[in-house]
Amino acid sequence: MTTGTVQLPAAKDVRDMLTGLVGKPVGVNPGAPVTPTPDSPVSVAVYVDPQMAINALCVMDLAASAYTGAALALLPPGGAQDAVEEDKELSGMLVEALHEVVNVLSALFNTPGAPHSKLHKLYAPGDDLPGDIAGSLAAFNRIDLAIEVPGYGKGGLSLVIP
């Protein structure tokens, strides 16, 4: 039995988590909602509770996906910027690094009284999203952030409680 519900983290908590993860002071400010369009692929991390019910989503635009993954894996900024500006997709290495980023971000949802959240699946930018996940991306219980990874660039990140 769960005693509470998953809560959205504060922007400061997201900043502190990302800064600790990449070892550089990541800028985090209010931003626009991150939503997928045919021209703007996004990554979607799906978090579940112990009963495997979806309890949170992390949506990142291509830039945030590439830059957080590259910074974590200590990959050169140029490669990440090429992935965003020229390739319009992530390399396998960037997807692996992004998986680690969103896995660590699950801790943002594990607050006292809330059901335990764990990463269930990462949909990389360009992957087909199941209808129930795609529909949940428009939920109103969300925090939308603009992030800047030093040396890499800016991107968008939205955390959604469906």
Side-chain angles (χ1 to χ4, degrees):
M1 185 175 129
T2 56
T3 56
T5 58
V6 171
Q7 300 295 315
L8 286 169
K12 177 191 181 310
D13 297 331
V14 176
R15 183 190 72 218
D16 293 347
M17 181 73 70
L18 289 172
T19 295
L21 194 59
V22 303
K24 298 177 179 183
V26 175
V28 175
N29 293 293
V34 178
T35 53
T37 68
D39 297 329
S40 302
V42 300
S43 62
V44 179
V46 180
Y47 302 98
V48 296
D49 68 16
Q51 287 73 44
M52 296 300 289
I54 297 172
N55 61 6
L57 302 169
C58 175
V59 189
M60 287 194 233
D61 65 13
L62 184 61
S65 300
Y67 300 153
T68 58
L72 175 69
L74 302 175
L75 299 172
Q81 290 156 352
D82 287 349
V84 173
E85 296 163 13
E86 294 173 19
D87 304 336
K88 305 286 189 227
E89 64 182 13
L90 301 184
S91 67
M93 192 181 313
L94 279 175
V95 171
E96 278 184 41
L98 176 61
H99 188 275
E100 202 49 46
V101 169
V102 296
N103 189 37
V104 170
L105 291 181
S106 69
L108 291 169
F109 303 110
N110 290 318
T111 56
H116 181 76
S117 293
K118 68 175 186 175
L119 177 63
H120 174 64
K121 183 159 179 60
L122 170 63
Y123 294 93
D127 287 356
D128 287 333
L129 292 174
D132 61 330
I133 304 283
S136 296
L137 296 181
F140 293 106
N141 192 8
R142 61 190 298 134
I143 180 171
D144 301 305
L145 303 168
I147 66 169
E148 183 170 3
V149 181
Y152 289 88
K154 297 178 181 178
L157 181 152
S158 292
L159 299 172
V160 182
I161 307 294

